[in-house]
Amino acid sequence: MIDQTKLPTALEYIECRDPETVFAAIRRLSVRGAPAIGIAAAMGLVLGIRDFGVRPGVGDEGGGGHEGFVKVVNRVSDYLASSRPTAVNLFWALERMKRCALKHMAQSIDKIKQAMLDEALAIRDEDARMCHAIGRHGAALIPEGGSVITHCNAGSLATAEYGTALAPMYASHAEGKSFTVYVDETRPLLQGARLTAWELMRAGIQIALICDNAAAHVMKRKGVDVVITGADRIAANGDAANKIGTYGLAVLAQAHGVPFYIAAPSSTFDLDACDGDSIPIEERDPDEIRRGFGVLTAPVDAPCYCPAFDVTPASLIAGIITEKGLISPVTGDSICETLGS
Amino acid sequence: MIDQTKLPTALEYIECRDPETVFAAIRRLSVRGAPAIGIAAAMGLVLGIRDFGVRPGVGDEGGGGHEGFVKVVNRVSDYLASSRPTAVNLFWALERMKRCALKHMAQSIDKIKQAMLDEALAIRDEDARMCHAIGRHGAALIPEGGSVITHCNAGSLATAEYGTALAPMYASHAEGKSFTVYVDETRPLLQGARLTAWELMRAGIQIALICDNAAAHVMKRKGVDVVITGADRIAANGDAANKIGTYGLAVLAQAHGVPFYIAAPSSTFDLDACDGDSIPIEERDPDEIRRGFGVLTAPVDAPCYCPAFDVTPASLIAGIITEKGLISPVTGDSICETLGS
């Protein structure tokens, strides 16, 4: 896997041949983005059971039979789950892998291993199909010769392929369309500058990196056809929490008559949250602002307000692009209709 | 003078005893801000003529009399003027100093020296009075217990005292009011994080440093009473050019019902520019975005769009606070009326 901590200055790969390497890669954010973490963990579990009964010492704890195999599956799964305790997709992928093992328990251990490898690949392929479906449903929003603004990174580095927020751009590029993506650098952690700029450039898509505060000027002077961002969590009424700065971008888009879209998988919806007010806003370490680049750029004791997310109300969102289709207009009813289909 | 290049990590002073030290301080941006540069240059010229006829070797070129003195004045003035070739205030202050010398040419050289020192001090004092007048006219906009957002730095570091954009805050603080200033860090060059945060904290004013992209969230969740920024140039109809990000902030303020004010001296008006469209927008080096902190935070060859300024239309400006009074509403007529008074 790509070591994302080295981007954008170096493209280095981490070769994972055991769960320990996968664990370390997840923990130190070499792999990030919910789908990518889930896929990495599933593959890590496969690596952890691969040598069971083959290499001496592996699976000693259960005596080597099916009972011992289950113990190893659980041990490696628990171990990988502890790499990032708040990553929901990590637990989801590992649970799915364990269910797969149990389902095949009547078969030989070799057959179970094969089923688990197939399951891990299925998780990856489903994610790739989901990204492509989002791309397909969103590509029409980008006109030939047009321009897009995006914020943060929900791209191919976070998923198996294409990404979510960037999928309409990759799909448009694959269709041969020419367009420009204005990439918000996305303070404080600069995911736009470090990751989105890197992956779009690598794909041959034309970009212009901008400071977050230049978006309004770009909309006014350059003409922008559409704003597309991802989302971390979408409430039942369509209010969407995403990286700090998204809400401001949506307000600016409305003021300039530019449609604002969110592209996110259906798993992003949290239908238990009735609206955006019920989504808690995490506050981050002030040093992300004061020394966000490893360099002190503010008084060392400057009080900061550093929210990780903001909430964009459904009223500002022209549509939500999911793998199940485009939800537009964004209402509780239209969301239920698309997600239920 | 304070060496601003060392802020906010160190407070160091530069002792200037000759024009060379002043020249170097202006050139390497140890002193910045139009009024502060003008004052420094005027003082630098005084240092350059102080030893004329006293110390051997000074003023040799003209033989030591009045003619020689004028030559030294012109030589030192030309030298200081070349320190920052685009700083209008620098030329203005030096021209004023030369006019002062010529006006007193009938008197003794000692008397001319004294008149020039008085003139330099007058430039400083007039600037301080102008800052205080802006503060007086703007202080009422900040309610007790309220909060303000500001962008970039037009504070005491850029002027003789109080600053322009920050003057209403200093004046409110001097009145004993308690309030919070949300300080935009102001990418790419971080004048908010480096300078505004530093000087407001030093004055004992409560601040919270924020990323530029958090302003909309702060307006929505925290409640903001007023936005006050400076301006680099204001057209005859009230359209105002200022640091990139100002226009977006004004749009966000309007969307949240927060009044947006500009605080700037009357010298900022360029009545030859009929509106904002006639103000050219300088584009800066892409490396200000890509390696804004001496650290590469984007692909080394990422195309960037880096405008230095944007233009806020008069329609978004609730008022312009000048030393001559508050211009509100902002129209061509109200501007003429206040500036003419």
Side-chain angles (χ1 to χ4, degrees), chain A residues 45-212:
Chain A
L45 184 49
V46 170
L47 291 174
I49 50 109
R50 188 177 51 170
D51 289 342
F52 180 88
V54 176
R55 225 169 33 145
V58 175
D60 278 346
E61 59 230 77
H66 276 67
E67 200 185 331
F69 184 76
V70 170
K71 280 191 179 156
V72 173
V73 167
N74 287 331
R75 179 174 53 75
V76 176
S77 173
D78 289 351
Y79 167 68
L80 288 168
S82 68
S83 60
R84 270 192 85 182
T86 57
V88 173
N89 234 57
L90 176 64
F91 313 138
W92 168 84
L94 291 168
E95 283 304 315
R96 180 167 160 178
M97 291 296 289
K98 286 196 279 185
R99 275 200 311 276
C100 168
L102 291 177
K103 198 175 121 190
H104 293 83
M105 208 39 79
Q107 300 181 16
S108 72
I109 286 174
D110 276 353
K111 288 250 168 79
I112 307 176
K113 285 181 181 176
Q114 184 59 47
M116 289 177 73
L117 174 58
D118 291 346
E119 191 75 3
L121 294 173
I123 291 174
R124 183 198 65 187
D125 293 344
E126 286 165 24
D127 188 63
R129 276 198 300 278
M130 181 272 291
C131 293
H132 278 264
I134 291 177
R136 216 162 44 240
H137 294 131
L141 299 169
I142 303 172
E144 166 63 30
S147 65
V148 188
I149 296 183
T150 189
H151 191 70
C152 200
N153 179 263
S156 66
L157 288 166
T159 62
E161 219 172 300
Y162 260 31
T164 52
L166 300 188
M169 301 163 215
Y170 285 118
S172 292
H173 185 66
E175 288 174 14
K177 266 188 266 181
S178 152
F179 55 95
T180 300
V181 182
Y182 290 97
V183 178
D184 273 1
E185 62 171 2
T186 317
R187 281 283 286 149
L189 296 185
L190 297 167
Q191 291 91 340
R194 292 188 295 112
L195 306 176
T196 300
W198 182 84
E199 66 168 89
L200 292 179
M201 284 172 74
R202 194 162 177 244
I205 295 174
Q206 189 180 318
I207 70 146
L209 183 63
I210 59 173
C211 292
D212 302 321

Side-chain angles (χ1 to χ4, degrees), chain A residues 249-271:
Chain A
L249 199 55
V251 172
L252 295 173
Q254 187 179 60
H256 292 86
V258 179
F260 174 88
Y261 284 87
I262 278 177
S266 56
S267 60
T268 309
F269 284 86
D270 176 1
L271 299 182

Side-chain angles (χ1 to χ4, degrees), chain A residues 185 187 209 247 256 293 303, chain B residues 185 187 209 247 256 293 303:
Chain A
E185 62 171 2
R187 281 283 286 149
L209 183 63
Y247 165 59
H256 292 86
F293 317 89
Chain B
E185 63 170 1
R187 281 284 285 150
L209 182 63
Y247 165 59
H256 292 86
F293 316 89

Side-chain angles (χ1 to χ4, degrees), chain B residues 134 138 154 163-168 228-231 234 261-265 268 319-322:
Chain B
I134 290 177
T164 52
L166 299 187
I228 306 176
T229 78
I234 306 175
Y261 284 86
I262 278 176
T268 310
I320 301 174
I321 312 158
T322 75

Side-chain angles (χ1 to χ4, degrees), chain B residues 149-221:
Chain B
I149 296 184
T150 189
H151 191 70
C152 201
N153 179 264
S156 66
L157 288 166
T159 63
E161 220 172 299
Y162 260 30
T164 52
L166 299 187
M169 300 164 215
Y170 285 119
S172 291
H173 185 66
E175 288 174 13
K177 266 189 268 181
S178 153
F179 55 94
T180 301
V181 182
Y182 290 96
V183 178
D184 274 0
E185 63 170 1
T186 317
R187 281 284 285 150
L189 295 184
L190 296 168
Q191 291 92 338
R194 292 189 296 110
L195 306 176
T196 301
W198 182 85
E199 66 168 89
L200 292 180
M201 284 173 74
R202 193 160 178 246
I205 294 174
Q206 188 180 320
I207 70 145
L209 182 63
I210 59 173
C211 292
D212 302 321
N213 64 24
H217 178 77
V218 168
M219 288 181 193
K220 190 178 181 192
R221 294 276 175 122

Side-chain angles (χ1 to χ4, degrees), chain B residues 35 89 130 232-234 264-270 322-323 339:
Chain B
N89 233 58
M130 180 271 290
D232 278 78
R233 204 160 154 196
I234 306 175
S266 57
S267 60
T268 310
F269 284 86
D270 176 1
T322 75
E323 79 280 15
L339 296 192

